[in-house]
Each structure stands twice: as structure tokens, then as C-alpha cells.
Amino acid sequence: MNDRAQTYLPGTHPDLPPPPSMVGVYGWLRANLFSSPVNVILTLLAAYIIYLAFPPLIQWVFINADWQGDTREACRREGACWVFVKVWLRQFMYGRYPSTEIWRINTAYAILALGMIPMFIPRVRGKAWIAAFLLFGYPVVAYYLFYGSAFGQVVVETPLWGGLFLTLVIASVGIVGSLPIGIVLALGRRSRLPIIQSVSIAFIEIWRGVPLITVLFMASVMFPLFMPEGLTIDRLARALVGVMLFSAAYMAEVVRGGLQAIPKGQYEAAQALGLNYGKMMALIILPQALKLVIPGIVNTFIGLFKDTTLVLIIGLMDFLGTIQSAGTNPQWLGFAIEGYVFSALVFWVFCFGMSRYSQHLERKLRTTH
Amino acid sequence: MAVERVAERAPARPPVWNDPRFRAIFFQALVLALVIGVGAYLVNNTLTNMEKRGIASGFGFLGTTAGFSISTTLVPYTEESTYGRAFLVGLANTLLVSVIGVFFATILGFIVGIARLSRNWLVAKLAAVYIETLRNIPLLLQIFFWYFAVLRNLPSPRQSFILFDIFYLNIRGLNTPAPVFEEGFGWVLLSAVVAVAAAVSIVRWARRRREETGRPFHTVYTSLAILFGLPTLATLLAGSPLHWEYAVLEGFNFQGGMVMSPELVALVFSLSTYTASFIGEIVRAGIMAVNRGQTEAAYAVGLSPGLTLRLVVIPQALRVIIPPLTSQYLNLTKNSSLASAIAYPDLVLVFAGTVLNQTGQAVEIIAITMAVYLTISLLISMFMNWYNRKMALVER
Amino acid sequence: MREGTMVEAGTKVSSAIRGSGDAMVRMDGVHKWYGQFHVLKDINLTVAKGERIVVCGPSGSGKSTMIRCINRLEEHQSGHIVVDGVELTNDLKRIEEVRREVGMVFQHFNLFPHLTVLENLALAPVWVRQTPRKEAEESAMKYLERVRIPEQAKKYPGQLSGGQQQRVAIARALCMNPKVMLFDEPTSALDPEMIKEVLDVMVELAHSGMTMLVVTHEMGFAKTVANRVIFMDRGEIIEENEPGEFFTHPRSERTKLFLSQILAH
Ligand SMILES: Nc1ncnc2c1ncn2[C@@H]1O[C@H](COP(=O)(O)OP(=O)(O)OP(=O)(O)O)[C@@H](O)[C@H]1O
Ligand SMILES: [Mg+2]
């Protein structure tokens, strides 16, 4: 205080440190937790909620949990029994995929990871080529790895596919397959030709208006009726078609948002250069629009990734499906909670990570535009 | 030479496929033909397949006896009722879950969204943890968790969890008191109607008086007093025609009161907590969309923080909040179809599940089910368009 | 008791004391920090009733922060601010009391976009002063006439030009019959042809005897209406003087530099 009572000639006042009540731990606490009586009450309330929720959770998850062993008897049941997850882990990850062939799935994961890493490094050139491979080449490679039949691989039929692997397959095929359909629908919706526009709008709004589960029901009970005599398609393929059509509608709306964000001047400039509709879209408009909607696509992917859990209702053994069935195994009754917590954690890590990534992209887009 | 070429080309009519009008017609015809062609092909296949499998077609089945029972029914229903009736039961159950879910999701979502903006660090972080946790975990997983891991593991009715001494939560569900109406309840009902009318007119009168004389009036307290006081008075005068029948433990189970099935409780709980995490983000974004300068300007003319919120911030935030909020309501309604995974008899389970299995009429049933959801979506988006038009800020 | 320190400050206090008998706003040894950053350093300023003060200085020097402290849009950490005899403390009632008497005009207008011009003007009189709406609207129309846009009353802010919006903002502040008006760069978000229409309104307001504190770089305005010009730099009041002296014989080097930059444009 003495310091402050002192006076200086104009223009010579030094920067003084703020009063102690503003700085340090004390200042922070005062400003953020105890700035008013109401805030004090709120802080205490929040602290009480944390006190109620977190210590028991940590006790259950870590301190009292069982980690060792590989039978049910290893569970003392005072906390979580992670032995359950350990024992069933292979099922959770790969379903009933033959254990001798699991390397094929892991190889595909590895290729994907190798392809994705450069995408996150700003300095790498030729990202477009890598992206093109991931979108067009990789699915073919993955198909032959997963299903087999080429290069003398054993065929692994789709009913054996399961676990997190199946979840990833459905979500990825859904998103990759829906992108082109979505682009066509979005262009259709913005078309000035009334019939094309109304067909697109009808298609988009119908799929967006119904729950995914009815689409899956439709895929599983109606598609067989749609097929010509003698042709049957397997359960997974049916679900994939359903998921693809469903997410194409959402994708179309995302792409449409991007198209709308492109200024009219770009269209006019392209036309002034003499480009026809196809060239204008392919060379000028879509490249810009698609870049704008990458965050939206990632968000759609997150939604789809969570929604794939619904396929268990039509009898596919996805990640949640394997967990559900392990929990109802007579040997392991009563361990459902561990299974749910484990899968919740896996889903959370995936979805939270992706949503952070999409926020990062959004921020980057906003600053570069 | 150049002159020659111009002369050569000018009079020649362009080939018809270069004429934009022709192209427009051509492409549209193509799309139309494609849609009709694919449609006809599928219909044809379907008809052949159905004939071969001996599946009837048409909507006659709606009048046939269903022959199965349904656990939760809001509409009168027995095993002798028709499939059409079963459809109504399912629809009513879907709407029940949706309405209760929307109610709780809205309250919780607004609380979480406002907490997220709190200047109290701990409260804001707690809300953030809530939002980031719930919205990144699949809803179905959350439903399974609450249903199989929590509600199915609850103790028997004898060891129920007791809330406020009147609610009992146990493995059979949630027992709540049930209202019992006796003679004279009509008067109470009438007094409630009168109370509502009185409260409305007081609010109107107070607003007019404030406009005319500037004097404020405590409408909130007065109308609350009327809303609660008048029916209470009527109840006393009419000799307590309404009483609550409490659930009482008798032997191994509760007698009396109402019971909400564990399926319903799990579904409502997970739908509302999940949707609340999205609503929370919407509310936060809506409030943040109101420029800080707006609050400052309101303070600068002397408005109190409360009035600033009510007259300046909320009206502007609502314009941003309501459209995505309604689409969350729509999502909640659509997500209520996950009921079928835990055997709550909603529209999908009853109609697209049981009825479809019994009749095999997949096409009709899926079409009706989808049509129901589509109608709901359409109604909601009509509301949204109307609201957006009404609320659009006037710009130059 | 603070007087003692002010006398010691020597050169700069003479005018501050001069107005203190009839002070509308008094700032006494005001300091403010943003985190570790010392934005306002020992601000001493007295604004007498009817006085018109122009504040100028380089960007980031704390001009906005200073005048926003006067109606408590920003909180100061030490020193005293007294407005019309009411000292600003943490007491919300007092803060509102002060805000009722202090009008403010912002750089970006901050009109309420969901209300019509007339509703913008009548809002505070109706809800804060509890004036009947009819009366409030009648007086609002008077102020709209005074800022020369009565015909825009039923429009929404989004439909007006920048200059019109700023004049509405001035009228909105005047509707509360304030004793002091604060202006924070009211013309710097406007196109050149609109600046004049806003300045004209402000000059007229000055002639009507309103106490005004104006942050602006419009030197013409300062020369014609200001009683005093204050130059701020790095959170300090470096110099204050009558406009004639201020522009012709700036005392400090920094003022000279600043004036040369401003006038070069
Ligand atoms: N909320 C804040 N948090 C931290 N620092 C701030 C905040 N507001 C302003 N500052 C800093 O305080 C200093 C003074 O800001 P102020 O807005 O008062 O300057 P100014 O003189 O009005 O400048 P300009 O002419 O650009 O408006 C600036 O350096 C600014 O960066
Ligand atoms: Mg400023």
C-alpha cells in the first residue's frame, strides 16, 4: 500500500504488481470459487457432488478391483473384476473371428494407421494421394484381408465377424459409402431442376425423419423381399446398405452446408471461365466445399459410430453385442457392469478424440479463411 | 478466314443436346425413369416373393385379433384386441416416453448449459465433464447400463430405496403414490381451471398496469398463490375429494399406488440424461451467441442483472436455441425407439416387432411405422419453419 | 485525505482541484489490473458539472478501461470513484443507482436487435424508472427528433445505417435523463460521411450543457467543444490542458509524437 501512495511524475509510473488478493492461489480461489455468497454455496454443492461420486468410483475401478487371474474365482467382488474383460477381450475385439486369422485384421489396422499418421503431420506433401488411397484403394485391400478368398486366404464368413472390429467396419463402410451418395444428393437438392430437386429432398428427408432402428428393421426384413428370386444377401451386407442410405441423408445435409458457404462469386467466376456444370463442380466448387465440411463429416462419423451399436438389435455381434452376450454367459453372470464400463471407456476415447480433432479442424479452418 | 468461319457458324442451329432447356428436360426424365424403374422392380420382386411365401398384403390385418399381451398400456387393451389397437398402444407408449423424456431433458439440459457458463470454476468444470462424458457414449450402451446393470440389480421390494418416504425404487420398478378421486373432485378441477384463468388475467392486468402507470406488481408470487391456494381451498371445502394412495409393502410386494416399470424408468432416465448433454451445449452456444456488448449496454442504461437476462439476453438467446432444441426433441423421440432393446413396449417393439413377426406383413408394417415417425418429424419441422420466420431478426 | 497525495503530484492537479467543489465524477488514485497487467495507474480526474472532456491517446493506453470504470462495466482494484456523490463499491444497488445517472454510447452501438428503435429507447425508462409506457414513448419520440430520426421509430436496428444506429444509441442513453454521458469512440466504427451526422448531435448535446466524457480521436470536435483534453498513455494520464494549449503547445514528448501521428492523417 505504501508503494501505491507514492506519487510519480506523469509518464514515469512503473508497472506495479497487482494487490495480493488478485494473484496466486488465493486470488484464483477468490475469483473462481468464492467471489460471492452464492458462489460459495455453489462451490460447496459441487464439491459435495464430487465427494459423493468420485471416491467410490475410484475405489471400485482401481483400489478394490481385481486384476490378476483368469477365472471367475479370481474375482473377490469388492470392486470391479477386470479379469472378466481380460478373459473375453479377444471376443470383444474380434468376435468369433478364427484366432489363427486375427493377424489379418491387425495388418489392416496397421496399414490404416500407417496411412493416417501422415495426414496429421502438417509438413507432409501429397496428402491428397494418401487420402485417395485411403478412400478408394484401402477398402479393397481391407475387403480381401477381412473376407479372404484372394491369394489363397481362408474365407472367413461374415457371421464370424464381431466385436469392435465389426463396429469399425460398419461405421467406416457407412461413412465412406455415404460420402459419394451424400454429395450427389446435396448437388441434387441444390439443383434448379424441379424433379431432381424434389427427388433429392424426398430421399433426404425420409431417411432423416425416421429412427435408424426402423431402417435396420427394414433392411433385415424387407430387403430379402426386394431381391429377385434365388438371390440372398447376407445379414451384414443388408445392415451395411441400410446404414449407408441412412447416413447418406445426413451426409447430404453436411455437404449442402458446405456448398452454401461457397460465395456466389465462385460459381460466377467458374462460369465466366467457360466451365460447364460438371467441371465447375468437380474443379472449383466441391474441392472448396468438401474442405469446409470435414469437421461436419467427422461429427457425422462420431454419430454413426455411436449409432452402429443398434445393429445388435437385428442380431449382429458388434462390440456392444459381444459384451452383452459375455455378460449373459452363465459362467460370468453378474459382470455386466464391468463390460459396460469397459466399452463405455473405449467408445468415449474414440468419440472424444474425434470430436476434439474436429474442433481443432474447425478452429484451423476459421483462422485460414 | 476468321470472317468466313463466323459466317459459317452463325446461322447453324446448335445441336439439340447443347440446348440447356433440352438438357434440363432430358436429365429430369432420366432421373424420373430411374426412380420409377427401380421402384417398379422392387415392388415386382416384393409381390412375387410375398406370393411365394404365402404372405397376405394390404392393411386388413389391422382388424384381426392380436392375441398377445402388452405390459404397459395407456389405451385399453386385452389379448382380444386387434392389431390396430396394439399399434395405438405402442404409439401411446412411444409418446409417453418422449413427453416425459423431453420434460426432464429440457430441465436438466438448461441447468447443465447454464452451469457450463458459470463463473464458478468448479461448477463449470463439473458441467463440462457431464456433457463430454454423456454425449460421447452411445445411448444404447447407457440404456443397457441403467437397465441391466443398475435397475435389474436393485434389491427386492422389501429392501427398496426410499425417496422422500413416498417413492420406492426396487427391482420391480418405481412405486409412486397414486391419486384417488372421490365425489366432489369436479369442484377441485373447476377451481383449478378458475385459478389458471385468474392467474393469466392477473399477469395481463399487471402488464397493462405497468405499461400505463409504470408501477410494478409481483405477478409471480400472486399467481403462484392463486394457482396453489384456490385448489387447496376447494379441496378443503369439498371435503378432501382427492387423496393419495401410497404404495404399501405387503408381503413381498407393494400394494396400491402406481408403479413405473424398470424399463420405462431406465428409458426415460437415459434418454433425458443423454439428450440433456446435447441441450446443454445448445443452451451454452445460444447464450454465448448474444454479444457481450448487449449485456453491457443493458447495464449501462441501468437494468439490473435479472432484468438484463429477462429482457435482453434470453429473448435473443432463445432465437438461437429453439431451432436446434426442437431437433433434439425430435432426436429424443426417434431415440425412444431403442426401447425395443430392453423390451419396453413402444411402437417399434410392439408393431414392427411382435405384430410383424406374427403377421409377416413386413412392407405394410415398416411403412406405417416409418410414416408415424415421418409425420412427427414433419410436424416438428413445420413448427421450426414457422418459428424461424416469426423470429427472424430484421436486417437490411 | 487523498488530497494530500494529489497536491504532491504537482503539475497535473491544478485543474482537478478546480472542479472539485461541484464534481460530477471524481476518480481518486484509481488503479486497475487485468491479471498481472497494470492497465490504470493512479488515475486522478475530476469532472465538474457541465464540463466536457475529451480523452485521447494511443491504442491500448486504457482510455476505454478508464471510462468504463465510471459506470462499473469494469471493476477497479484500488482508489475511489465517486459519481454524483455516490461512491462505487461492490454494492449492486449503488452500482445501479450510478448507472441510472450515467449514459453510455459504445463504439459498436450495441442496440438491442430484437426490439424496435422505439422499444430500445423506452426499455430502460419503463423497467428502471417505472415510467408509464405511453409517457416513455412520447419522450422517446422527443429524443428521436432531437437526433433527427423520428421517422425510424418503428424500424429494427438492423434496418438502419451505422450513423442512424449511433444516433439511436445516443437517444437511448438520453432517455434516462442522465447527468453524465460517456462516449467510447462513438464515431470510429462509422464511414466518413456518417461521422458528421453523429458529431453534429454530440455538439448540440454539448451546447445544451450536458456533462460529457468523450474518448475520441476527432480533434475538430475536441477543439470546438471540449473544456479540457486529456492525453493518456500506458495507463496514465500524461497531460491535461485546454484544447487550445493542448494542440498548440503540448508539454510532453509523447503527446507531441501522438499529435503528429494523428494530425498527419
Ligand atoms: N478484458 C481484458 N483482459 C485483459 N486485458 C485487457 C482486457 N481489456 C483490455 N485489456 C488490455 O488493456 C489495455 C487497455 O485497453 P483499452 O481497451 O482500455 O485501450 P484503449 O485505450 O481503449 O485502446 P483503443 O484505442 O484501441 O480502444 C490494452 O492493452 C488491452 O490489451
Ligand atoms: Mg477503446
Side-chain angles (χ1 to χ4, degrees):
Chain A
M1 272 293 142
N2 270 343
D3 219 18
R4 219 151 284 137
Q6 198 189 332
T7 49
Y8 302 89
L9 280 178
T12 60
H13 201 299
D15 286 343
L16 298 178
S21 63
M22 260 186 84
V23 288
V25 177
Y26 174 71
W28 186 89
L29 287 175
R30 229 179 72 121
N32 293 302
L33 296 179
F34 305 106
S35 55
S36 66
V38 179
N39 253 330
V40 173
I41 295 173
L42 282 177
T43 303
L44 294 180
L45 203 71
Y48 183 63
I49 292 176
I50 292 171
Y51 167 76
L52 281 187
F54 286 85
L57 190 69
I58 290 172
Q59 285 258 325
W60 186 81
V61 174
F62 297 107
I63 299 174
N64 290 340
D66 302 306
W67 304 86
Q68 306 292 332
D70 22 43
T71 55
R72 197 200 160 123
E73 281 63 48
C75 298
R76 288 168 299 138
R77 307 260 57 193
E78 278 156 16
C81 182
W82 299 119
V83 178
F84 167 74
V85 172
K86 214 161 84 179
V87 170
W88 290 91
L89 190 63
R90 217 197 69 211
Q91 290 267 343
F92 293 166
M93 290 296 121
Y94 307 104
R96 292 190 295 129
Y97 210 85
S99 48
T100 50
E101 305 297 323
I102 283 177
W103 63 267
R104 283 157 50 178
I105 298 178
N106 291 339
T107 314
Y109 285 169
I111 299 177
L112 184 64
L114 277 180
M116 291 295 267
I117 289 169
M119 303 293 285
F120 292 89
I121 304 174
R123 272 173 307 154
V124 173
R125 298 274 193 85
K127 284 208 184 92
W129 291 106
I130 303 175
F133 166 75
L134 287 177
L135 277 181
F136 304 111
Y138 182 75
V140 179
V141 176
Y143 173 81
Y144 282 111
L145 276 169
F146 294 155
Y147 187 74
S149 86
F151 313 113
Q153 297 291 349
V154 189
V155 169
V156 182
E157 293 293 345
T158 56
L160 297 180
W161 299 16
L164 185 60
F165 161 60
L166 184 66
T167 297
L168 288 171
V169 167
I170 297 174
S172 315
V173 172
I175 223 68
V176 173
S178 67
L179 190 56
I181 313 176
I183 292 176
V184 170
L185 286 172
L187 291 177
R189 189 165 188 168
R190 279 175 63 81
S191 159
R192 258 167 307 169
L193 309 179
I195 291 180
I196 293 185
Q197 197 193 24
S198 12
V199 168
S200 311
I201 291 181
F203 189 94
I204 293 171
E205 292 308 329
I206 286 177
W207 296 120
R208 272 162 44 93
V210 300
L212 176 58
I213 190 166
T214 59
V215 177
L216 290 173
F217 269 10
M218 181 181 129
S220 73
V221 299
M222 265 164 84
F223 281 4
L225 296 177
F226 287 161
M227 290 299 121
E229 288 206 64
L231 185 72
T232 54
I233 48 174
D234 83 11
R235 197 197 285 274
L236 176 61
R238 274 182 268 160
L240 282 179
V241 173
V243 166
M244 232 176 329
L245 293 178
F246 182 76
S247 51
Y250 287 83
M251 198 60 94
E253 287 301 276
V254 171
V255 175
R256 184 164 73 111
L259 289 174
Q260 268 166 350
I262 305 294
K264 231 175 105 195
Q266 292 289 316
Y267 290 86
E268 286 164 0
Q271 278 162 352
L273 285 175
L275 300 180
N276 64 21
Y277 179 84
K279 285 191 184 128
M280 171 177 82
M281 282 302 169
L283 299 176
I284 310 289
I285 306 299
L286 277 177
Q288 296 184 57
L290 288 182
K291 202 176 143 208
L292 281 182
V293 299
I294 292 175
I297 294 178
V298 177
N299 287 340
T300 313
F301 184 72
I302 297 174
L304 184 63
F305 187 65
K306 290 189 291 175
D307 276 349
T308 49
T309 48
L310 268 62
V311 298
L312 75 87
I313 297 176
I314 57 165
L316 288 173
M317 271 301 167
D318 75 327
F319 189 34
L320 187 55
T322 52
I323 288 196
Q324 190 72 347
S325 82
T328 51
N329 183 304
Q331 267 255 301
W332 288 92
L333 281 181
F335 290 90
I337 300 191
E338 279 86 343
Y340 293 141
V341 171
F342 170 69
S343 59
L345 185 70
V346 173
F347 274 113
W348 187 84
V349 168
F350 268 90
C351 296
F352 184 72
M354 283 190 290
S355 74
R356 277 295 137 116
Y357 177 60
S358 108
Q359 282 167 13
H360 160 80
L361 285 178
E362 254 167 80
R363 234 172 292 126
K364 218 169 79 178
L365 275 176
R366 216 174 302 137
T367 50
T368 51
H369 265 263
Chain B
M1 187 169 143
V3 175
E4 236 174 54
R5 271 171 88 175
V6 169
E8 216 170 70
R9 289 185 59 175
R13 277 167 56 94
V16 66
W17 55 86
N18 274 348
D19 181 347
R21 275 164 304 175
F22 170 80
R23 285 192 177 189
I25 294 172
F26 173 76
F27 282 120
Q28 298 198 70
L30 194 71
V31 167
L32 203 61
L34 212 70
V35 170
I36 293 175
V38 170
Y41 175 73
L42 294 181
V43 168
N44 184 33
N45 282 343
T46 309
L47 288 180
T48 340
N49 281 325
M50 279 169 64
E51 201 175 329
K52 258 195 29 222
R53 297 184 200 177
I55 305 172
S57 62
F59 294 92
F61 71 98
L62 287 174
T64 356
T65 308
F68 61 91
S69 64
I70 302 176
S71 58
T72 311
T73 56
L74 294 177
V75 186
Y77 176 87
T78 60
E79 288 189 24
E80 282 85 56
S81 302
T82 59
Y83 285 129
R85 191 40 86 117
F87 165 78
L88 288 183
V89 171
L91 179 58
N93 283 341
T94 289
L95 293 179
L96 174 73
V97 171
S98 309
V99 170
I100 309 180
V102 160
F103 177 75
F104 287 113
T106 310
I107 295 178
L108 191 59
F110 272 77
I111 293 176
V112 170
I114 292 166
R116 184 91 172 69
L117 287 171
S118 167
R119 281 168 65 181
N120 186 311
W121 183 85
L122 205 56
V123 170
K125 279 287 170 283
L126 211 57
V129 168
Y130 174 92
I131 290 175
E132 290 301 347
T133 309
L134 268 85
R135 66 190 224 140
N136 284 316
I137 295 175
L139 175 60
L140 186 61
L141 176 51
Q142 296 188 35
I143 294 178
F144 278 176
F145 178 83
W146 292 114
Y147 182 64
F148 290 113
V150 177
L151 288 167
R152 295 261 93 184
N153 280 337
L154 284 177
S156 67
R158 277 162 165 274
Q159 280 107 35
S160 296
F161 288 110
I162 303 169
L163 309 161
F164 309 118
D165 273 348
I166 47 173
F167 297 106
Y168 302 91
L169 190 62
N170 55 59
I171 191 161
R172 308 255 172 100
L174 179 69
N175 293 83
T176 65
V180 180
F181 310 110
E182 281 159 22
E183 204 180 332
F185 185 71
W187 290 108
V188 178
L189 223 55
L190 188 69
S191 75
V193 174
V194 171
V196 169
V200 168
S201 45
I202 281 195
V203 169
R204 287 211 176 147
W205 168 81
R207 190 182 299 152
R208 211 174 40 240
R209 191 184 79 155
R210 134 153 256 151
E211 306 263 279
E212 277 164 14
T213 68
R215 269 180 303 155
F217 185 78
H218 278 295
T219 40
V220 179
Y221 301 119
T222 334
S223 42
L224 277 184
I226 291 177
L227 281 179
F228 286 98
L230 211 54
T232 315
L233 198 70
T235 311
L236 292 177
L237 287 181
S240 305
L242 167 77
H243 68 256
W244 293 95
E245 185 194 271
Y246 296 100
V248 197
L249 187 66
E250 271 175 26
F252 291 102
N253 210 346
F254 279 93
Q255 299 296 320
M258 280 195 300
V259 56
M260 287 171 78
S261 69
E263 292 83 20
L264 179 62
V265 175
L267 203 58
V268 166
F269 188 81
S270 28
L271 278 174
S272 28
T273 48
Y274 180 75
T275 312
S277 70
F278 290 89
I279 295 180
E281 274 299 283
I282 291 169
V283 169
R284 177 173 92 115
I287 295 177
M288 295 219 316
V290 181
N291 199 322
R292 174 121 192 85
Q294 292 290 311
T295 320
E296 288 182 350
Y299 286 168
V301 289
L303 292 176
S304 66
L307 279 178
T308 302
L309 213 59
R310 179 168 144 208
L311 300 173
V312 175
V313 179
I314 291 178
Q316 292 185 54
L318 278 187
R319 287 158 205 263
V320 184
I321 290 174
I322 287 197
L325 185 65
T326 39
S327 78
Q328 282 306 320
Y329 290 166
L330 180 59
N331 280 348
L332 188 145
T333 308
K334 287 193 284 177
N335 282 335
S336 73
S337 61
L338 296 188
S340 36
I342 55 168
Y344 171 81
D346 80 322
L347 179 64
V348 170
L349 182 76
V350 171
F351 200 58
T354 315
V355 174
L356 196 156
N357 276 340
Q358 289 195 4
T359 61
Q361 291 196 257
V363 180
E364 292 85 347
I365 287 175
I366 298 279
I368 293 178
T369 315
M370 286 186 158
V372 167
Y373 286 104
L374 268 178
T375 311
I376 299 174
S377 308
L378 216 65
L379 289 177
I380 287 188
S381 61
M382 270 161 57
F383 164 78
M384 224 139 68
N385 288 341
W386 169 81
Y387 180 84
N388 283 340
R389 246 201 324 277
K390 183 161 163 276
M391 284 300 170
L393 285 182
V394 186
E395 302 277 352
R396 255 141 90 83
Chain C
M1 73 183 212
R2 277 246 151 212
E3 228 70 342
T5 57
M6 284 174 59
V7 173
E8 282 168 33
T11 53
K12 67 179 171 187
V13 288
S14 56
S15 52
I17 288 177
R18 189 186 59 204
S20 67
D22 213 7
M24 200 62 234
V25 178
R26 263 188 49 192
M27 301 180 87
D28 244 357
V30 171
H31 288 261
K32 176 173 175 59
W33 286 264
Y34 283 121
Q36 290 290 333
F37 177 52
H38 200 167
V39 252
L40 294 184
K41 301 168 183 164
D42 194 23
I43 301 288
N44 294 289
L45 174 70
T46 305
V47 185
K49 205 167 261 169
E51 228 188 338
R52 297 168 303 270
I53 294 182
V54 163
V55 183
C56 62
S59 178
S61 55
K63 309 179 294 290
S64 305
T65 311
M66 182 181 80
I67 70 162
R68 286 157 58 88
C69 280
I70 295 173
N71 64 353
R72 222 348 131 124
L73 290 180
E74 303 288 351
E75 199 175 308
H76 59 284
Q77 273 93 36
S78 79
H80 304 270
I81 301 178
V82 182
V83 181
D84 196 26
V86 182
E87 169 154 15
L88 284 166
T89 60
N90 270 331
D91 182 356
L92 196 62
K93 281 282 156 282
R94 284 196 190 186
I95 295 175
E96 279 165 22
E97 200 180 317
V98 166
R99 284 175 178 164
R100 279 199 292 272
E101 308 305 331
V102 178
M104 183 156 193
V105 176
F106 300 85
Q107 182 176 5
H108 295 288
F109 332 135
N110 294 352
L111 293 176
F112 307 126
H114 60 300
L115 303 177
T116 62
V117 166
L118 201 58
E119 287 165 343
N120 262 282
L121 266 60
L123 185 77
V126 168
W127 288 92
V128 180
R129 292 240 192 263
Q130 294 170 4
T131 322
R133 177 166 294 275
K134 214 161 140 254
E135 242 171 73
E137 292 193 341
E138 276 162 14
S139 96
M141 281 312 294
K142 276 215 312 274
Y143 285 110
L144 279 183
E145 267 154 37
R146 205 164 140 190
V147 299
R148 301 186 203 111
I149 34 173
E151 72 283 1
Q152 312 286 0
K154 293 279 176 251
K155 287 196 184 164
Y156 283 89
Q159 295 168 292
L160 305 184
S161 75
Q164 291 171 328
Q165 288 193 45
Q166 194 61 299
R167 285 185 280 156
V168 173
I170 295 174
R172 175 175 72 180
L174 291 176
C175 277
M176 286 293 282
N177 280 318
K179 296 183 174 149
V180 193
M181 286 283 285
L182 310 176
F183 293 83
D184 189 359
E185 308 204 23
T187 54
S188 58
L190 297 177
D191 293 336
E193 74 269 22
M194 298 174 184
I195 291 180
K196 190 174 171 302
E197 62 190 49
V198 172
L199 285 180
D200 285 349
V201 168
M202 289 171 62
V203 169
E204 207 181 291
L205 190 62
H207 290 319
S208 75
M210 175 65 76
T211 314
M212 292 164 75
L213 207 67
V214 185
V215 176
T216 186
H217 292 163
E218 292 297 331
M219 292 306 145
F221 176 80
K223 279 176 196 158
T224 51
V225 301
N227 302 107
R228 263 192 291 160
V229 180
I230 287 180
F231 175 69
M232 283 186 77
D233 191 17
R234 291 191 220 150
E236 276 184 274
I237 297 182
I238 303 278
E239 182 165 346
E240 52 178 291
N241 218 330
E242 278 139 37
E245 280 292 298
F246 182 85
F247 289 111
T248 47
H249 303 294
R251 272 176 262 162
S252 88
E253 285 306 312
R254 283 198 232 165
T255 318
K256 282 178 196 155
L257 185 66
F258 175 73
L259 285 178
S260 69
Q261 280 165 354
I262 288 271
L263 300 176
H265 284 288

